[in-house]
Amino acid sequence: MDRIALFGEPGTGKTTTAERIAKIANFKVVEASTAIIFPIASNFKKLPSESFLLNRLHTLPPKNIKISREEAMNIFSRLKRAYSSDFIAKALHELYVKSPKYESVIFSGLRGLDNAKYCSLHNDLVVYLKKRGFETERGFG
């Protein structure tokens, strides 16, 4: 199985980069918010234990909800406080690595050093995208 995990701050092009790679190399793009954060937020008012949730993720009905970036960041912060700091990476691996359905996956929308470490330890190619400033883009920096 081939996996790439794209990390970076908001606006660095994680999703755009993932979509471009997917077109060229026939990867499935998995957006962390859509795959993990939104279904959890839609199905639980009170968060269950981390182990319970990791074991039940595959049974959660997908929710295609639209929320603002601010709401998504609030949900992410809530999950980060309630669970281990590498929870998002663990959850993505639970859903997509253990499933024989997917051969090549790009995880997009990830943040946090512990999530990056988890992905690296589990043989994902970890890529950090950095936003460039105006001066750098114009060749002044």
Side-chain angles (χ1 to χ4, degrees), residues 53-76:
L53 188 52
L54 286 171
N55 288 324
R56 304 291 296 219
L57 274 174
H58 66 281
T59 67
L60 293 181
K63 298 287 183 173
N64 198 6
I65 62 173
K66 296 285 185 190
I67 64 173
S68 70
R69 181 172 280 183
E70 183 179 327
E71 288 173 293
M73 289 175 72
N74 288 338
I75 294 166
F76 177 77

PDB file of all heavy atoms in Angstrom, residues 53-76:
ATOM      1  N   LEU A  53     -14.300   4.654  20.186  1.00  0.00           N
ATOM      2  CA  LEU A  53     -14.485   5.350  18.925  1.00  0.00           C
ATOM      3  C   LEU A  53     -13.622   4.760  17.818  1.00  0.00           C
ATOM      4  O   LEU A  53     -14.101   4.542  16.698  1.00  0.00           O
ATOM      5  CB  LEU A  53     -14.188   6.840  19.099  1.00  0.00           C
ATOM      6  CG  LEU A  53     -14.518   7.739  17.918  1.00  0.00           C
ATOM      7  CD1 LEU A  53     -15.949   7.548  17.444  1.00  0.00           C
ATOM      8  CD2 LEU A  53     -14.300   9.182  18.300  1.00  0.00           C
ATOM      9  N   LEU A  54     -12.361   4.471  18.101  1.00  0.00           N
ATOM     10  CA  LEU A  54     -11.488   3.878  17.082  1.00  0.00           C
ATOM     11  C   LEU A  54     -12.032   2.535  16.598  1.00  0.00           C
ATOM     12  O   LEU A  54     -11.931   2.215  15.408  1.00  0.00           O
ATOM     13  CB  LEU A  54     -10.063   3.718  17.609  1.00  0.00           C
ATOM     14  CG  LEU A  54      -9.259   5.008  17.724  1.00  0.00           C
ATOM     15  CD1 LEU A  54      -7.946   4.765  18.453  1.00  0.00           C
ATOM     16  CD2 LEU A  54      -9.008   5.629  16.359  1.00  0.00           C
ATOM     17  N   ASN A  55     -12.619   1.773  17.495  1.00  0.00           N
ATOM     18  CA  ASN A  55     -13.189   0.476  17.111  1.00  0.00           C
ATOM     19  C   ASN A  55     -14.490   0.608  16.345  1.00  0.00           C
ATOM     20  O   ASN A  55     -14.886  -0.312  15.630  1.00  0.00           O
ATOM     21  CB  ASN A  55     -13.399  -0.405  18.348  1.00  0.00           C
ATOM     22  CG  ASN A  55     -12.095  -0.905  18.909  1.00  0.00           C
ATOM     23  OD1 ASN A  55     -11.167  -1.190  18.169  1.00  0.00           O
ATOM     24  ND2 ASN A  55     -12.009  -0.985  20.216  1.00  0.00           N
ATOM     25  N   ARG A  56     -15.175   1.739  16.498  1.00  0.00           N
ATOM     26  CA  ARG A  56     -16.495   1.915  15.876  1.00  0.00           C
ATOM     27  C   ARG A  56     -16.507   2.878  14.695  1.00  0.00           C
ATOM     28  O   ARG A  56     -17.552   3.093  14.094  1.00  0.00           O
ATOM     29  CB  ARG A  56     -17.489   2.409  16.927  1.00  0.00           C
ATOM     30  CG  ARG A  56     -17.638   1.538  18.159  1.00  0.00           C
ATOM     31  CD  ARG A  56     -18.293   0.252  17.821  1.00  0.00           C
ATOM     32  NE  ARG A  56     -19.637   0.534  17.365  1.00  0.00           N
ATOM     33  CZ  ARG A  56     -20.691  -0.177  17.641  1.00  0.00           C
ATOM     34  NH1 ARG A  56     -20.571  -1.250  18.363  1.00  0.00           N
ATOM     35  NH2 ARG A  56     -21.873   0.155  17.182  1.00  0.00           N
ATOM     36  N   LEU A  57     -15.389   3.475  14.375  1.00  0.00           N
ATOM     37  CA  LEU A  57     -15.350   4.461  13.293  1.00  0.00           C
ATOM     38  C   LEU A  57     -15.964   3.950  11.992  1.00  0.00           C
ATOM     39  O   LEU A  57     -16.688   4.665  11.320  1.00  0.00           O
ATOM     40  CB  LEU A  57     -13.912   4.898  13.015  1.00  0.00           C
ATOM     41  CG  LEU A  57     -13.366   6.021  13.861  1.00  0.00           C
ATOM     42  CD1 LEU A  57     -11.893   6.217  13.562  1.00  0.00           C
ATOM     43  CD2 LEU A  57     -14.123   7.306  13.637  1.00  0.00           C
ATOM     44  N   HIS A  58     -15.642   2.731  11.642  1.00  0.00           N
ATOM     45  CA  HIS A  58     -16.124   2.183  10.374  1.00  0.00           C
ATOM     46  C   HIS A  58     -17.639   2.006  10.342  1.00  0.00           C
ATOM     47  O   HIS A  58     -18.225   1.844   9.272  1.00  0.00           O
ATOM     48  CB  HIS A  58     -15.419   0.854  10.064  1.00  0.00           C
ATOM     49  CG  HIS A  58     -15.759  -0.230  11.036  1.00  0.00           C
ATOM     50  ND1 HIS A  58     -15.174  -0.299  12.281  1.00  0.00           N
ATOM     51  CD2 HIS A  58     -16.628  -1.253  10.957  1.00  0.00           C
ATOM     52  CE1 HIS A  58     -15.684  -1.340  12.920  1.00  0.00           C
ATOM     53  NE2 HIS A  58     -16.558  -1.932  12.143  1.00  0.00           N
ATOM     54  N   THR A  59     -18.302   2.065  11.496  1.00  0.00           N
ATOM     55  CA  THR A  59     -19.765   1.913  11.529  1.00  0.00           C
ATOM     56  C   THR A  59     -20.503   3.244  11.514  1.00  0.00           C
ATOM     57  O   THR A  59     -21.721   3.257  11.380  1.00  0.00           O
ATOM     58  CB  THR A  59     -20.208   1.130  12.789  1.00  0.00           C
ATOM     59  OG1 THR A  59     -19.923   1.918  13.951  1.00  0.00           O
ATOM     60  CG2 THR A  59     -19.517  -0.220  12.882  1.00  0.00           C
ATOM     61  N   LEU A  60     -19.771   4.349  11.657  1.00  0.00           N
ATOM     62  CA  LEU A  60     -20.424   5.653  11.671  1.00  0.00           C
ATOM     63  C   LEU A  60     -20.955   5.997  10.289  1.00  0.00           C
ATOM     64  O   LEU A  60     -20.237   5.892   9.303  1.00  0.00           O
ATOM     65  CB  LEU A  60     -19.463   6.750  12.104  1.00  0.00           C
ATOM     66  CG  LEU A  60     -18.960   6.738  13.534  1.00  0.00           C
ATOM     67  CD1 LEU A  60     -18.033   7.927  13.771  1.00  0.00           C
ATOM     68  CD2 LEU A  60     -20.103   6.771  14.508  1.00  0.00           C
ATOM     69  N   PRO A  61     -22.218   6.418  10.235  1.00  0.00           N
ATOM     70  CA  PRO A  61     -22.712   6.849   8.930  1.00  0.00           C
ATOM     71  C   PRO A  61     -21.999   8.127   8.517  1.00  0.00           C
ATOM     72  O   PRO A  61     -21.809   9.018   9.341  1.00  0.00           O
ATOM     73  CB  PRO A  61     -24.208   7.101   9.174  1.00  0.00           C
ATOM     74  CG  PRO A  61     -24.355   7.243  10.641  1.00  0.00           C
ATOM     75  CD  PRO A  61     -23.202   6.520  11.276  1.00  0.00           C
ATOM     76  N   PRO A  62     -21.574   8.204   7.275  1.00  0.00           N
ATOM     77  CA  PRO A  62     -20.896   9.426   6.842  1.00  0.00           C
ATOM     78  C   PRO A  62     -21.864  10.599   6.843  1.00  0.00           C
ATOM     79  O   PRO A  62     -23.035  10.449   6.509  1.00  0.00           O
ATOM     80  CB  PRO A  62     -20.427   9.098   5.422  1.00  0.00           C
ATOM     81  CG  PRO A  62     -21.267   7.968   4.983  1.00  0.00           C
ATOM     82  CD  PRO A  62     -21.723   7.239   6.202  1.00  0.00           C
ATOM     83  N   LYS A  63     -21.387  11.712   7.234  1.00  0.00           N
ATOM     84  CA  LYS A  63     -22.205  12.925   7.263  1.00  0.00           C
ATOM     85  C   LYS A  63     -21.551  13.943   6.346  1.00  0.00           C
ATOM     86  O   LYS A  63     -20.394  14.280   6.526  1.00  0.00           O
ATOM     87  CB  LYS A  63     -22.312  13.506   8.679  1.00  0.00           C
ATOM     88  CG  LYS A  63     -22.974  12.565   9.664  1.00  0.00           C
ATOM     89  CD  LYS A  63     -24.446  12.490   9.409  1.00  0.00           C
ATOM     90  CE  LYS A  63     -25.087  11.602  10.466  1.00  0.00           C
ATOM     91  NZ  LYS A  63     -26.505  11.588  10.422  1.00  0.00           N
ATOM     92  N   ASN A  64     -22.278  14.388   5.396  1.00  0.00           N
ATOM     93  CA  ASN A  64     -21.759  15.381   4.466  1.00  0.00           C
ATOM     94  C   ASN A  64     -22.259  16.753   4.890  1.00  0.00           C
ATOM     95  O   ASN A  64     -23.122  17.326   4.263  1.00  0.00           O
ATOM     96  CB  ASN A  64     -22.201  15.046   3.040  1.00  0.00           C
ATOM     97  CG  ASN A  64     -21.360  15.762   2.015  1.00  0.00           C
ATOM     98  OD1 ASN A  64     -20.388  16.423   2.355  1.00  0.00           O
ATOM     99  ND2 ASN A  64     -21.737  15.629   0.770  1.00  0.00           N
ATOM    100  N   ILE A  65     -21.726  17.224   5.996  1.00  0.00           N
ATOM    101  CA  ILE A  65     -22.169  18.505   6.528  1.00  0.00           C
ATOM    102  C   ILE A  65     -21.218  19.603   6.088  1.00  0.00           C
ATOM    103  O   ILE A  65     -20.060  19.362   5.813  1.00  0.00           O
ATOM    104  CB  ILE A  65     -22.276  18.478   8.069  1.00  0.00           C
ATOM    105  CG1 ILE A  65     -20.902  18.194   8.697  1.00  0.00           C
ATOM    106  CG2 ILE A  65     -23.293  17.469   8.535  1.00  0.00           C
ATOM    107  CD1 ILE A  65     -20.879  18.309  10.205  1.00  0.00           C
ATOM    108  N   LYS A  66     -21.747  20.780   6.013  1.00  0.00           N
ATOM    109  CA  LYS A  66     -20.925  21.941   5.676  1.00  0.00           C
ATOM    110  C   LYS A  66     -20.818  22.797   6.924  1.00  0.00           C
ATOM    111  O   LYS A  66     -21.819  23.216   7.483  1.00  0.00           O
ATOM    112  CB  LYS A  66     -21.572  22.758   4.551  1.00  0.00           C
ATOM    113  CG  LYS A  66     -21.688  22.017   3.251  1.00  0.00           C
ATOM    114  CD  LYS A  66     -20.356  21.914   2.585  1.00  0.00           C
ATOM    115  CE  LYS A  66     -20.526  21.265   1.226  1.00  0.00           C
ATOM    116  NZ  LYS A  66     -19.299  20.915   0.614  1.00  0.00           N
ATOM    117  N   ILE A  67     -19.586  23.020   7.369  1.00  0.00           N
ATOM    118  CA  ILE A  67     -19.368  23.896   8.504  1.00  0.00           C
ATOM    119  C   ILE A  67     -18.221  24.840   8.174  1.00  0.00           C
ATOM    120  O   ILE A  67     -17.421  24.567   7.279  1.00  0.00           O
ATOM    121  CB  ILE A  67     -19.083  23.116   9.809  1.00  0.00           C
ATOM    122  CG1 ILE A  67     -17.781  22.319   9.705  1.00  0.00           C
ATOM    123  CG2 ILE A  67     -20.240  22.219  10.197  1.00  0.00           C
ATOM    124  CD1 ILE A  67     -17.365  21.681  11.012  1.00  0.00           C
ATOM    125  N   SER A  68     -18.168  25.918   8.901  1.00  0.00           N
ATOM    126  CA  SER A  68     -17.125  26.915   8.655  1.00  0.00           C
ATOM    127  C   SER A  68     -15.767  26.393   9.105  1.00  0.00           C
ATOM    128  O   SER A  68     -15.674  25.445   9.890  1.00  0.00           O
ATOM    129  CB  SER A  68     -17.448  28.205   9.405  1.00  0.00           C
ATOM    130  OG  SER A  68     -17.300  28.007  10.802  1.00  0.00           O
ATOM    131  N   ARG A  69     -14.736  27.035   8.634  1.00  0.00           N
ATOM    132  CA  ARG A  69     -13.369  26.672   9.045  1.00  0.00           C
ATOM    133  C   ARG A  69     -13.225  26.834  10.560  1.00  0.00           C
ATOM    134  O   ARG A  69     -12.592  26.034  11.229  1.00  0.00           O
ATOM    135  CB  ARG A  69     -12.351  27.534   8.305  1.00  0.00           C
ATOM    136  CG  ARG A  69     -10.926  27.195   8.677  1.00  0.00           C
ATOM    137  CD  ARG A  69      -9.953  27.904   7.814  1.00  0.00           C
ATOM    138  NE  ARG A  69      -9.878  27.156   6.563  1.00  0.00           N
ATOM    139  CZ  ARG A  69      -9.071  27.457   5.572  1.00  0.00           C
ATOM    140  NH1 ARG A  69      -8.283  28.479   5.663  1.00  0.00           N
ATOM    141  NH2 ARG A  69      -9.044  26.736   4.483  1.00  0.00           N
ATOM    142  N   GLU A  70     -13.836  27.891  11.108  1.00  0.00           N
ATOM    143  CA  GLU A  70     -13.776  28.144  12.548  1.00  0.00           C
ATOM    144  C   GLU A  70     -14.445  27.015  13.334  1.00  0.00           C
ATOM    145  O   GLU A  70     -13.899  26.531  14.328  1.00  0.00           O
ATOM    146  CB  GLU A  70     -14.443  29.478  12.879  1.00  0.00           C
ATOM    147  CG  GLU A  70     -14.345  29.839  14.347  1.00  0.00           C
ATOM    148  CD  GLU A  70     -14.990  31.186  14.655  1.00  0.00           C
ATOM    149  OE1 GLU A  70     -14.946  32.084  13.791  1.00  0.00           O
ATOM    150  OE2 GLU A  70     -15.539  31.319  15.754  1.00  0.00           O
ATOM    151  N   GLU A  71     -15.618  26.558  12.883  1.00  0.00           N
ATOM    152  CA  GLU A  71     -16.293  25.441  13.553  1.00  0.00           C
ATOM    153  C   GLU A  71     -15.461  24.165  13.463  1.00  0.00           C
ATOM    154  O   GLU A  71     -15.364  23.416  14.434  1.00  0.00           O
ATOM    155  CB  GLU A  71     -17.671  25.202  12.932  1.00  0.00           C
ATOM    156  CG  GLU A  71     -18.696  26.257  13.260  1.00  0.00           C
ATOM    157  CD  GLU A  71     -19.982  26.040  12.486  1.00  0.00           C
ATOM    158  OE1 GLU A  71     -19.961  26.178  11.257  1.00  0.00           O
ATOM    159  OE2 GLU A  71     -21.001  25.718  13.134  1.00  0.00           O
ATOM    160  N   ALA A  72     -14.862  23.925  12.307  1.00  0.00           N
ATOM    161  CA  ALA A  72     -14.018  22.736  12.138  1.00  0.00           C
ATOM    162  C   ALA A  72     -12.829  22.787  13.089  1.00  0.00           C
ATOM    163  O   ALA A  72     -12.459  21.783  13.699  1.00  0.00           O
ATOM    164  CB  ALA A  72     -13.541  22.623  10.696  1.00  0.00           C
ATOM    165  N   MET A  73     -12.233  23.966  13.238  1.00  0.00           N
ATOM    166  CA  MET A  73     -11.102  24.101  14.154  1.00  0.00           C
ATOM    167  C   MET A  73     -11.542  23.885  15.600  1.00  0.00           C
ATOM    168  O   MET A  73     -10.811  23.287  16.392  1.00  0.00           O
ATOM    169  CB  MET A  73     -10.446  25.471  13.969  1.00  0.00           C
ATOM    170  CG  MET A  73      -9.691  25.566  12.649  1.00  0.00           C
ATOM    171  SD  MET A  73      -9.021  27.196  12.300  1.00  0.00           S
ATOM    172  CE  MET A  73      -7.692  27.254  13.480  1.00  0.00           C
ATOM    173  N   ASN A  74     -12.749  24.337  15.952  1.00  0.00           N
ATOM    174  CA  ASN A  74     -13.281  24.101  17.297  1.00  0.00           C
ATOM    175  C   ASN A  74     -13.496  22.613  17.553  1.00  0.00           C
ATOM    176  O   ASN A  74     -13.173  22.109  18.631  1.00  0.00           O
ATOM    177  CB  ASN A  74     -14.585  24.870  17.516  1.00  0.00           C
ATOM    178  CG  ASN A  74     -14.362  26.353  17.658  1.00  0.00           C
ATOM    179  OD1 ASN A  74     -13.272  26.803  17.998  1.00  0.00           O
ATOM    180  ND2 ASN A  74     -15.390  27.131  17.381  1.00  0.00           N
ATOM    181  N   ILE A  75     -14.042  21.911  16.564  1.00  0.00           N
ATOM    182  CA  ILE A  75     -14.252  20.468  16.701  1.00  0.00           C
ATOM    183  C   ILE A  75     -12.904  19.765  16.839  1.00  0.00           C
ATOM    184  O   ILE A  75     -12.722  18.893  17.687  1.00  0.00           O
ATOM    185  CB  ILE A  75     -15.041  19.914  15.498  1.00  0.00           C
ATOM    186  CG1 ILE A  75     -16.462  20.486  15.504  1.00  0.00           C
ATOM    187  CG2 ILE A  75     -15.076  18.386  15.527  1.00  0.00           C
ATOM    188  CD1 ILE A  75     -17.212  20.269  14.202  1.00  0.00           C
ATOM    189  N   PHE A  76     -11.938  20.155  16.007  1.00  0.00           N
ATOM    190  CA  PHE A  76     -10.605  19.568  16.078  1.00  0.00           C
ATOM    191  C   PHE A  76     -10.000  19.792  17.458  1.00  0.00           C
ATOM    192  O   PHE A  76      -9.425  18.875  18.059  1.00  0.00           O
ATOM    193  CB  PHE A  76      -9.700  20.159  14.991  1.00  0.00           C
ATOM    194  CG  PHE A  76      -8.296  19.645  15.045  1.00  0.00           C
ATOM    195  CD1 PHE A  76      -7.979  18.383  14.579  1.00  0.00           C
ATOM    196  CD2 PHE A  76      -7.286  20.412  15.598  1.00  0.00           C
ATOM    197  CE1 PHE A  76      -6.683  17.906  14.646  1.00  0.00           C
ATOM    198  CE2 PHE A  76      -5.988  19.948  15.674  1.00  0.00           C
ATOM    199  CZ  PHE A  76      -5.692  18.687  15.190  1.00  0.00           C
TER     200      PHE A  76
END
